[in-house]
Every structure is written in C-alpha cells, then in structure tokens.
Amino acid sequence: MDTLATPLAAAARPDRALTTLDLGIGGMTCAACVLRVEKALKKVPGVQDAVVNLATETARITCSPDTPDGTAQLRRAVRSAGYEPRAADALMREEDSSWAGFAPVALGAVFSLPLLLPMLLGWLSLGQGGEIGMLPAWAQFLLATPVQFILGARFYRGAWHAVKSRTGNMDLLVALGTSSGWGLSVWLWLNASSSPHAVAHTSMQPHLYFEASAVVITLVLLGKWLEARAKRQTTAAIRALHALRPELAHWLGSEQAPHEETDIPVGELLIGDRVAVRPGERVPADGVLLDGETQVDESMLTGEPLPVSKCPGATLTGGSVNGEGRIVVRVTATGSETVLARIIRLVEDAQAAKAPIQRLVDQVSAVFVPVVLVLALMTLVGWLWVGADVEAALMHAVTVLVIACPCALGLATPTALIAGAGVAARRGILIKDAQALELAHRVDTVAFDKTGTLTVGQPRLTALLVSPGQDERVLMQAAAALQSGSEHPLAKAVLQAAHDRGLAWSPPQAMQAVPGRGSQGEVEGVTWRIGSLRWMAELGAELGDLEPQATRLQSEGATLSVLAESVPGAGDVTSVVQVRALLAFGDEPKPGVAAALQRLRQRGLRLVMISGDNLGAAEAMARRLGLRPEAGEVLANVLPGDKAAQVRALREGQHVVAMVGDGVNDAPALAAADVGIAMGNGTDVAMHAAGITLMRGDPALVEAALDISRRTVRKIRQNLFWAFIYNVAGIPLAALGVLSPVVAGAAMALSSVSVMGNALLLRRWKGR
C-alpha cells in the first residue's frame, strides 16, 4: 500500500461535501518551505485549504471530492514546487535504526576533518600561528569540492526551486553562503598560483576558506540527520498505536456458518465473524465476548494500568491484550471503524493541525529569508565601506547567511504539538485539534455535566426502607424475583443490589408486566407487586409510616418504587394491597471525583456542575462531590437544550471555559465552550464537538489534560524563544565579524537540535 494520498474523511457540510487528503512531502527544510508548498497546493483547482506540517512532513489538504485527477494534480504541484510527493505515512515507515541516513554525514566528516584539523591545532596553540600543517591548496580543493557539490547537491536543488518560485528558504541561504566561501577560496588560490613564491613555498599560500564551506555543509547535514532522528521519536506514539494491530486472526467462521480455526489476515475479517484469542495475544478487532472469561489489558488505549475483567457479553477493543484465558469474540467493527483506527485518526489529525500561534511564525517566515539576504548584502557593503578587503567582507556576509537559516523556526511549534499530543494519547487523553491543546492552558472555569460525567450514570438502589415488622432480606428476595426477567434500568439496579448482598431467589410465577406502572407475580405462593407510587395509589395502597421518608427522598431527587403484598381482605374484599417496602434509586458519584475536583480547585479554577435535576437533588449530589452550592457552583433545572446557553453565559467577562460532558445531548455545550472535553468509555471514542476526549471517562484526567496543555504551550514558547534568540543574537554577531562561518554553521545546526530536544522532553510527562 504505497499510495501517495489517503482519503481520511468527508467533512459533512450542509452546502458542500469536502474530502480531506493526507500527502507526504519530502525535501522540506524550513518554515519557508512550508509556506511555498502550501501556496502551491492552494493553487490546484478544487483545493479549499492546505496545511503543511514540517515536523511530520505531511500536508493535510481539503478539496472537492469531484476534482478530476485531484491526487495527481496535488502530486504534480508538490513536485513543481521543488519537493517530493510521498506516501502520507512515509515518515512512519522510515527505518527505525538510530543510524539510518547517517552515511552523508559520515562522508562529510571524513572529507572535512583534514581541512579543519590544522585550524583546531592552531586554536589549541599546538602549531605555530596555525599555519604549520595546512594542506596544499590543491588538496583542500579536492577534499572540499565533493562535499560542496555532491553532498551539498540537495541545497542547490532546493535553492534553484526557491529562486524559480521567487521565494527564499534555508537551502538558498546555505547554497549562497557555502558557494561564496568555496568560490572565494578558488579565486584566491588561482590568483596566488601566478606568484613564483607560491610554487616554491606552500607556507606563502593565502588563507583559504575551503574548510568553512565543507564544515558548514557537514554541520547542516548533521543537524538535518539529528532532526530526522528526533522526528521519528516524536511520532513514537503513532507508531506504538499502529503496532497494536495484529497481523493475523484465528478465524472460526460466523455463528451461522462455523469453520475450523484458520489463520487469516486481520484485513479480511467481516462483521459477524468469530475469532479465537489466545492468552497473551492482542484482540484483532472490536467485538463482543461470546465464550470464556478473562482479564484484558487496555492500557495502550485508555491509559488504565490495571487489567479489566471481561465476561460473556462484554465489549472488547481491538488492540487490547488478552489475559489468562482463551476466548471467542464476535467481530462488531473492522478497518477504519474500529476504536483503535479512530484513535489513530484523532491523534494524526491533532498532529497534522496548525496551532493558532503558528500563524505568527508563518508571517515572520514569509519575510525572513528576504530580510536575511538584505542583511547579508548590507554586511558586505558595510565592511567594504569601512575599508575591509573583499575577502573579510565576503566572509562576514557568508556568516550572516549561514547563521540565519530558519530551520528551528519551522520546527518550534509542530514538534512540541506532536510530542504533547503523543504523550497525552498514551495516557488516554486524545487531543482532536491543536487549537484545543494550545487554548486549554488558559482555562479558568470548568463546567461539568452531572450524569455520566461526575456520576456513574446508572441508577443504583440507594435505600431500602421496610415497614415495621417486616424482614428486609425476604423483601429484597421478593423484589429481585419480580425483576429477574426485566431489562429496565431500575430492575437491573435491584438485581445488582441483591447480588451484592449475596441473596438467592426463586423464579416468579404468573408474571405480568403492567406498562407504565410496574410488574406483578407470585413468589413462593405470595402475590407481590413492584412499581411506581402512582400505581400504588391507584390500587389503594397507602405508604403509612414510610410517607415522610418518601417525601424526603423525592425532594433529594431520588426515584422511588414501592414493593407491595396482596393479603386477604375482609368481607367482600378478596385482597388488599399493602405496602411492605420503599425502594429509592439514585446515581452515585464516580470513585475519586471529589478528590479530582479538589485538585482542580487548588489550581485556582472555578468549578460548576450543570444538571437537569431539581435544585434540591442537584445540591445534594453537589455536596457529595465536594462542590459548594452556596458559591454558585451548581446550575440546576437545566434542560439538555439549554446547556449551551449556560456555557455561553459562563464565558461572559473574558472567562475561558472548558465544558466536560459524556452524552450526545452535551454536544451543543461542548461546541459552545472554549475547550470541549468529552468523556469516552472505550467504545465511543469522541464526539466531533469536543476538542479533547478522555478515553477512561475519569474526571481526574481533566486536570491531566489541562496540565499537558500547559506544558506543551510552555515548550512552544521556549522553542520559539530559542529559535528567535539564535537569529536575534547570532545575526548581529556575524555581521560584526565576531563569528566565523564554521561557528555559525555549528550554531545553526545546534538551534534545530535544541528545539527538537526540548520538545522531546515532553515525553517524560507522567500525568496522574
């Protein structure tokens, strides 16, 4: 699969459908190259937008799906601009060896060291005036020329394309600078050779600058090699996610057409197929556990370090690791529809995006190279004007050209974003776009949806209140028996509570469901009813001593059910319904939520819970969560459609608001917030309205997401500082003659390496 552009998605727009393509770009060297490629791509008919990422060497292109020969035109535009169109995942498929691509650097060092060594000996005062040991001019020429025109050919090609496009880039600066040094050396050598003294006395040969041109090219190649090596490290998160995909699956056919176990490529699996997963193997695709029990390691997908127990009926995510038992799984999603594929796509989208701060860098880069050329020319003229000879003036101008290469400027922002998004993904935090990552560190208000975000989101039996003289255990068994055949959420809560208490129950007889009210049946000869307060009132049952407690629980937002027994009546009344127990259902806080909210408050953040419950119920839950209703941290009686309006109100007064939600009805509020944070549950990766998705659905990850944003933005600022400071400090020093071309080349290479290395420090982030 060596396609050059891969369609990722069709962006749904009401007016026009657009297709997003990824295209690999080879040969880019600096921020100016990025701008030139973007400009070339945007000229292609049908292209709406193009964003080029120097760190990933890719372009994200948005275009019309009906553009004729769109992919071919995009490739041709890239090639016409002077770059190489490649597969979108070319960087991912590059050799992982630490020394891959080092051969040109090694050759450059072999040719350059003999030229540089006499200079180093002179600096160390081991020679006499630094002249003893200098190679003859012809030897310097033979060593420097292959470096200049063979190893340095890439710079000439890039410079030529830049000149044709009437733009400038790093290649142009390097080519001009080193060619000037090499050409000056040849001119000095040829002029000196006409002197009879030069033939008899090599010590009288003029000082040549072959070593400067050769060493600068070697240092630039070294810097580029170190950059490429660092790029492979920044994309380690994506590589790790791709590595989760197993190559083969143990296919068992479908449930309708079983087949003996056969190994087939994972790409041939169909929805409905059954596959066997042996202990220690990765689950080949998303599915449902049919047979067997096990524990599954989902740490690479959710960041959760502990294995998760799985029983028949449980969902499994492709890429997770099976534990101790052999299991059989029915496939429910394959290919690009699997959770893993969607995670990879989200991380790739974030890494391909351009952060808002990058726009400023682009504006600077657009004029940077022309300004440097003017400064170099001014340096040359200035030194000549003050009386310096042509040789010295040209060397100072060359130094300005070399030290001003904008490599680090183009890498400063994307490398930090890639590293930040990658390390966040390994912790179960998926960052959908760069803007969310850059903006999250400014959040001062965090709004939480209550149900499913701060709470479990499933009803639980919170109280069982029995009438005086009744046996709680017997009543619980009766309630569980009546609910044993129901799929209603409250019925499941009753069964779970009975199971937690270790109770067993007999199957009911003559079961009958009463729509909208409850159910009734016989358990060990006794007729029982369980249902709503309204149904009991219709049946004439009175709560009696349980009435005050029912009123209190309702005011706190609890959902009530009544368990009643039919007893023989007096006179003509055959039976009477008597209330035996009151069952209260409610949501429970997620484990660790109170501590997570407290940590956010300690960071100086304003916290708000948005709930559709009545005020009493919302405030009761808020206090359990550690929130303070008296401080305005609870917004109650909010309908799902009104959540977005509440978020917009919170944003008033220049507040930066993050909205945390888990459901589809939270999507408008997530979109209305400055930063939308969606709770994932391992089966539904992310809502498109959210910029950040927390795979574990753990509120503690909110703090981690804000922290990684803060650290990433800090790295971006540090990188931009270093990228600019090298130029701001280096260009004047070069123009004043303080630096030599060799030192300038080393500084230029060091600037790029330091920016990459600083971004890679984000990989040490551990989170909580």
Side-chain angles (χ1 to χ4, degrees):
M1 180 178 166
D2 192 22
T3 55
L4 293 176
T6 305
L8 292 182
R13 287 192 175 185
D15 54 338
R16 188 178 183 183
L18 297 176
T19 298
T20 302
L21 303 174
D22 272 358
L23 182 65
I25 312 290
M28 294 188 297
T29 56
C30 65
C33 297
V34 170
L35 296 177
R36 192 156 89 245
V37 175
E38 287 181 348
K39 185 177 179 180
L41 289 172
K42 289 177 181 177
K43 289 182 178 179
V44 176
V47 172
Q48 302 295 318
D49 191 24
V51 178
V52 175
N53 190 312
L54 178 61
T56 58
E57 299 179 1
T58 59
R60 173 65 52 86
I61 305 139
T62 304
C63 59
S64 303
D66 55 351
T67 302
D69 299 325
T71 303
Q73 290 189 56
L74 295 173
R75 295 198 300 267
R76 181 170 297 178
V78 170
R79 195 174 299 281
S80 298
Y83 301 94
E84 178 190 357
R86 302 190 304 182
D89 60 348
L91 186 61
M92 297 293 171
R93 290 191 269 162
E94 284 186 0
E95 187 178 347
D96 287 331
S97 170
S98 299
W99 298 98
F102 188 71
V105 181
L107 285 174
V110 168
F111 284 102
S112 301
L113 281 177
L115 298 170
L116 186 63
L117 189 59
M119 179 186 297
L120 295 177
L121 293 176
W123 287 347
L124 296 173
S125 300
L126 297 178
Q128 298 179 4
E131 296 293 333
I132 299 297
M134 289 295 292
L135 295 176
W138 62 268
Q140 295 186 50
F141 174 82
L142 291 178
L143 288 170
T145 301
V147 177
Q148 182 70 44
F149 296 105
I150 299 178
L151 298 180
R154 55 178 287 182
F155 303 115
Y156 286 101
R157 287 194 297 268
W160 172 243
H161 287 291
V163 170
K164 286 198 304 181
S165 302
R166 297 181 182 178
T167 60
N169 62 0
M170 186 208 79
D171 293 328
L172 180 60
L173 297 182
V174 172
L176 283 176
T178 57
S179 297
S180 299
W182 183 88
L184 177 62
S185 300
V186 172
W187 183 80
L188 292 172
W189 172 35
L190 294 177
N191 277 300
S193 64
S194 62
S195 169
H197 300 287
V199 178
H201 305 284
T202 56
S203 62
M204 295 182 61
Q205 70 180 14
H207 181 78
L208 305 179
Y209 297 94
F210 285 121
E211 86 285 343
S213 61
V215 171
V216 165
I217 286 179
T218 301
L219 287 173
V220 175
L221 291 174
L222 175 62
K224 288 298 164 188
W225 176 75
L226 291 173
E227 283 178 24
R229 184 177 178 183
K231 285 176 184 176
R232 289 194 295 270
Q233 293 176 346
T234 59
T235 55
I238 292 290
R239 291 171 182 266
L241 289 173
H242 279 289
L244 295 180
R245 294 169 166 166
E247 296 292 331
L248 297 175
H250 308 306
W251 181 62
L252 298 174
S254 64
E255 293 179 272
Q256 294 75 22
H259 192 280
E260 63 179 18
E261 185 173 314
T262 305
D263 288 349
I264 65 171
V266 169
E268 296 181 12
L269 288 176
L270 302 175
I271 295 176
D273 283 349
R274 296 181 307 144
V275 293
V277 185
R278 299 165 185 165
E281 291 184 340
R282 294 194 180 276
V283 179
D286 294 357
V288 175
L289 181 57
L290 294 178
D291 184 27
E293 295 185 2
T294 187
Q295 289 192 328
V296 176
D297 178 4
E298 298 177 337
S299 58
M300 274 303 296
L301 299 172
T302 66
E304 174 59 54
L306 299 177
V308 181
S309 297
K310 299 289 184 179
C311 299
T315 58
L316 295 173
T317 305
S320 55
V321 180
N322 182 29
E324 69 278 1
R326 180 185 182 275
I327 56 175
V328 176
V329 179
R330 183 180 71 247
V331 176
T332 57
T334 61
S336 61
E337 296 304 315
T338 63
V339 170
L340 178 58
R342 293 158 71 187
I343 290 175
I344 292 173
R345 192 157 61 244
L346 278 175
V347 178
E348 288 176 339
D349 288 348
Q351 293 186 346
K354 184 172 290 188
I357 197 173
Q358 183 68 25
R359 299 191 187 103
L360 173 62
V361 177
D362 290 345
Q363 292 172 0
V364 173
S365 301
V367 298
F368 190 82
V369 173
V371 169
V372 169
L373 293 174
V374 171
L375 290 175
L377 180 60
M378 291 173 60
T379 300
L380 175 64
V381 173
W383 278 98
L384 292 174
W385 184 69
V386 299
D389 57 28
V390 176
E391 177 183 341
L394 187 58
M395 280 300 100
H396 298 325
V398 166
T399 306
V400 170
L401 291 173
V402 172
I403 202 169
C405 293
C407 313
L409 201 59
L411 293 168
T413 300
T415 51
L417 288 174
I418 290 172
V423 73
R426 291 202 298 270
R427 300 286 180 249
I429 303 169
L430 299 183
I431 298 169
K432 179 182 175 183
D433 60 66
Q435 182 173 352
L437 181 61
E438 183 181 330
L439 189 60
H441 79 286
R442 293 172 45 204
V443 166
D444 57 28
T445 303
V446 183
F448 292 90
D449 172 57
K450 179 181 77 72
T451 305
T453 301
L454 297 177
T455 64
V456 176
Q458 298 177 350
R460 295 186 179 185
L461 183 65
T462 57
L464 176 63
L465 306 176
V466 301
S467 299
Q470 298 297 314
D471 187 332
E472 179 179 318
R473 184 182 180 88
V474 171
L475 295 177
M476 191 71 219
Q477 287 175 315
L482 288 176
Q483 302 285 38
S484 58
S486 175
E487 292 297 322
H488 194 279
L490 297 185
K492 292 182 178 180
V494 170
L495 294 174
Q496 184 62 49
H499 182 270
D500 292 342
R501 300 183 188 198
L503 301 179
W505 53 87
S506 302
Q509 304 294 322
M511 276 297 301
Q512 180 181 357
V514 182
R517 287 167 172 75
S519 57
Q520 63 184 21
E522 292 184 8
V523 180
E524 297 183 351
V526 178
T527 300
W528 296 92
R529 290 177 174 85
I530 186 170
S532 65
L533 290 171
R534 183 181 64 178
W535 188 29
M536 296 302 154
E538 293 173 354
L539 295 173
E542 298 180 355
L543 295 179
D545 294 339
L546 299 177
E547 182 81 35
Q549 299 180 71
T551 302
R552 175 181 60 82
L553 290 170
Q554 281 184 310
S555 68
E556 294 176 356
T559 300
L560 300 182
S561 287
V562 178
L563 178 66
E565 178 185 357
S566 293
V567 298
D572 296 335
V573 180
T574 57
S575 64
V576 176
V577 177
Q578 293 187 351
V579 173
R580 299 305 188 197
L582 193 66
L583 293 86
F585 300 90
D587 212 347
E588 290 291 310
K590 287 183 177 180
V593 168
L597 295 178
Q598 181 61 25
R599 288 195 298 271
L600 288 172
R601 182 178 284 116
Q602 290 172 353
R603 293 171 63 102
L605 297 172
R606 173 190 177 197
L607 306 180
V608 177
M609 183 185 79
I610 301 177
S611 173
D613 295 341
N614 62 64
L615 184 61
E619 290 187 347
M621 177 57 72
R623 290 190 174 91
R624 295 181 65 185
L625 295 167
L627 295 173
R628 300 173 298 198
E630 65 278 4
E633 294 183 348
V634 176
L635 298 176
N637 294 308
V638 180
L639 298 175
D642 296 334
K643 290 181 181 179
Q646 294 291 341
V647 170
R648 283 191 287 269
L650 291 173
R651 294 180 61 187
E652 294 179 357
Q654 303 300 314
H655 289 292
V656 180
V657 177
M659 174 66 193
V660 187
D662 76 315
V664 174
N665 19 344
D666 295 327
L670 291 166
D674 295 285
V675 179
I677 303 178
M679 292 286 190
N681 59 11
T683 58
D684 186 13
V685 178
M687 291 176 289
H688 293 293
I692 299 175
T693 297
L694 311 180
M695 284 298 294
R696 290 206 304 274
D698 182 357
L701 289 181
V702 174
E703 181 193 8
L706 299 181
D707 186 55
I708 191 60
S709 168
R710 178 176 59 84
R711 292 174 184 269
T712 300
V713 171
R714 182 191 299 169
K715 289 299 180 187
I716 291 174
R717 290 173 175 169
Q718 290 173 354
N719 284 351
L720 289 175
F721 169 79
W722 286 113
F724 279 112
I725 203 66
Y726 273 107
N727 295 132
V728 171
I731 291 176
L733 292 175
L736 293 173
V738 177
L739 302 178
S740 70
V742 172
V743 175
M748 187 267 287
L750 181 62
S751 66
S752 298
V753 174
S754 63
V755 162
M756 298 291 292
N758 188 47
L760 287 174
L761 291 177
L762 279 172
R763 299 174 67 193
R764 297 182 178 180
W765 180 76
K766 300 297 182 183
R768 287 187 179 272

